[in-house]
Amino acid sequence: MKRRLNALIIACLVCVGIQAQTEKGILHLFNEDVKTKASPVVYDFLERYLYKISHAVRGFDLNQSMADDKVVVKCGSIDNIPKLSPMSFFSLTRYDDKGYDVCWQDSTGQVLLDIQFPIQFELLLGQPKSEIENGMQELLKSYPDTMPGIRVEQDLQKTSDGFLCSASPTYYYIEEVNTSTYYEDKPSEKAKAVFSAKQKAYSAANLFQGVINEAYNYKLYIEQNLFNFRKKQYTISLKQWLNYCTERKLTIYFGVEEERLDGIKALLIVQNPDLGYNHVMSLILPDDFVNTRDAVIKATLNAYIPTDNVKEPYQQYTNRPRKKI
């Protein structure tokens, strides 16, 4: 009786594994409640990538393709992919911003498949950089033109000029490019984010960190640099940009390069640690942007720069005098 029961369990697991395959060229390996330990993109990648290699011809070409992708089988075998299912024991380990180790085991604890792969956005998204960056305009315009929820800064410290700012900001290589937000110091009142024509640098930082309710109808006119020295121009609302950053859980770094007679020149870096890329944006805010709530802000965008390579376009900024805020 026990043998029959074990045989039935094994048969069910095999059937679940076979049924995990879909007609869309992916496997169904995870229940939705599992897709919380990492970015959903990681799970989508595993279901797509393992489908591809399970249907590939074994041999040199497959081995070379996986080597090019830096996908390494540590233990188990790709021949066990048909045995994987949402019922398999699954573990995921992240190594800082470098890569992942994922492992499936059967009911006896035997490793079916244990692989490592890098945090690299082209691999995880399954597209070359040229295609991904070319889709940036459509992606940004897909986000709603409504103000996202305002995050409330709880931990504040005093600045040297009588305001309050984030007590524990992070910065990108240099302190002037950071995640700080700024507030009026009024002890008897709830902290209010600075947005004043007298404090343009603080106001600009707050605007792009998404803590200003009065974002209203600001527009971003973006000139995006593309592959092969091509360029693309388009306009989106600032609210669409903020929604994009919020939903994708991007870390936003802002720094003022110059306060000029015609406005503010600033640098914006948004980082996606889950996919290993940065967007670098040079901004020109008109001098009257605080009072002109439908102002057009000009932006030059270098999108999807691998995090390890971001120093190159960033170097032009770090060599110039900057205003510390």
Side-chain angles (χ1 to χ4, degrees):
M1 181 68 180
K2 186 175 181 180
R3 289 182 179 178
R4 290 182 181 178
L5 180 59
N6 288 340
L8 180 60
I9 292 173
I10 291 172
C12 288
L13 289 175
V14 170
C15 288
V16 171
I18 293 172
Q19 291 173 358
Q21 180 176 316
T22 72
E23 297 178 358
K24 297 181 180 180
I26 63 172
L27 300 173
H28 175 55
L29 300 178
F30 308 102
N31 293 321
E32 290 302 315
D33 58 341
V34 175
K35 296 184 178 182
T36 56
K37 297 179 181 178
S39 168
V41 174
V42 173
Y43 299 97
D44 293 342
F45 158 73
L46 288 169
E47 292 180 328
R48 183 183 68 250
Y49 193 85
L50 293 182
Y51 177 92
K52 182 181 74 171
I53 64 176
S54 68
H55 286 72
V57 177
R58 302 292 187 269
F60 174 81
D61 288 344
L62 176 59
N63 292 336
Q64 186 61 53
S65 175
M66 293 180 66
D68 292 341
D69 293 335
K70 297 182 175 61
V71 176
V72 178
V73 177
K74 289 180 56 185
C75 188
S77 170
I78 59 175
D79 293 330
N80 287 330
I81 292 175
K83 300 178 183 178
L84 308 182
S85 79
M87 296 176 64
S88 304
F89 179 79
F90 173 76
S91 63
L92 179 147
T93 303
R94 176 170 175 162
Y95 297 103
D96 297 323
D97 293 334
K98 300 299 182 183
Y100 288 98
D101 184 302
V102 295
C103 180
W104 287 266
Q105 295 174 287
D106 64 16
S107 59
T108 67
Q110 181 178 352
V111 174
L112 297 172
L113 182 63
D114 187 339
I115 60 174
Q116 286 184 338
F117 55 93
I119 296 177
Q120 205 281 333
F121 67 91
E122 290 177 278
L123 173 67
L124 296 177
L125 295 175
Q127 294 177 279
K129 181 178 185 296
S130 57
E131 290 183 11
I132 298 171
E133 67 180 13
N134 197 52
M136 186 71 172
Q137 175 182 358
E138 183 178 354
L139 175 63
L140 292 174
K141 289 194 172 185
S142 70
Y143 282 87
D145 188 21
T146 56
M147 193 63 190
I150 301 295
R151 63 184 177 92
V152 180
E153 190 76 62
Q154 301 290 343
D155 192 12
L156 300 173
Q157 64 182 359
K158 289 191 175 183
T159 65
S160 59
D161 55 356
F163 291 88
L164 298 174
C165 71
S166 307
S168 303
T170 56
Y171 60 89
Y172 204 90
Y173 289 109
I174 58 173
E175 293 184 6
E176 291 88 348
V177 182
N178 55 60
T179 59
S180 288
T181 49
Y182 302 88
Y183 302 85
E184 297 176 8
D185 186 10
K186 296 182 177 180
S188 60
E189 299 180 17
K190 183 178 179 180
K192 181 181 178 182
V194 174
F195 200 60
S196 163
K198 295 181 179 180
Q199 296 293 333
K200 294 176 185 176
Y202 290 170
S203 299
N206 283 344
L207 189 62
F208 277 88
Q209 290 291 354
V211 298
I212 300 299
N213 276 309
E214 299 88 347
Y216 290 109
N217 296 316
Y218 289 104
K219 300 293 183 183
L220 280 177
Y221 173 77
I222 297 174
E223 181 175 86
Q224 182 183 347
N225 294 318
L226 300 172
F227 183 70
N228 281 343
F229 304 102
R230 295 181 297 113
K231 296 180 183 294
K232 180 187 287 189
Q233 294 83 26
Y234 51 92
T235 300
I236 61 171
S237 72
L238 176 61
K239 289 179 283 189
Q240 286 176 308
W241 172 261
L242 293 175
N243 274 304
Y244 164 73
C245 293
T246 300
E247 184 172 312
R248 300 261 165 159
K249 299 180 180 178
L250 305 181
T251 303
I252 302 170
Y253 300 91
F254 183 91
V256 172
E257 184 175 357
E258 298 178 70
E259 282 196 48
R260 313 185 308 196
L261 292 177
D262 61 341
I264 285 179
K265 184 176 183 180
L267 178 75
L268 188 72
I269 297 177
V270 294
Q271 184 177 25
N272 188 331
D274 289 331
L275 295 182
Y277 68 76
N278 291 22
H279 300 317
V280 178
M281 185 181 283
S282 177
L283 300 166
I284 302 294
L285 290 84
D287 183 61
D288 61 348
F289 77 92
V290 172
N291 295 321
T292 307
R293 302 295 172 82
D294 60 353
V296 176
I297 300 168
K298 296 180 180 179
T300 301
L301 172 64
N302 291 288
Y304 296 103
I305 303 172
T307 300
D308 291 341
N309 299 343
V310 79
K311 291 182 182 179
E312 295 179 14
Y314 182 66
Q315 193 66 41
Q316 300 175 11
Y317 175 82
T318 58
N319 289 334
R320 298 173 183 170
R322 298 169 300 278
K323 178 183 178 62
K324 187 172 182 178
I325 61 171

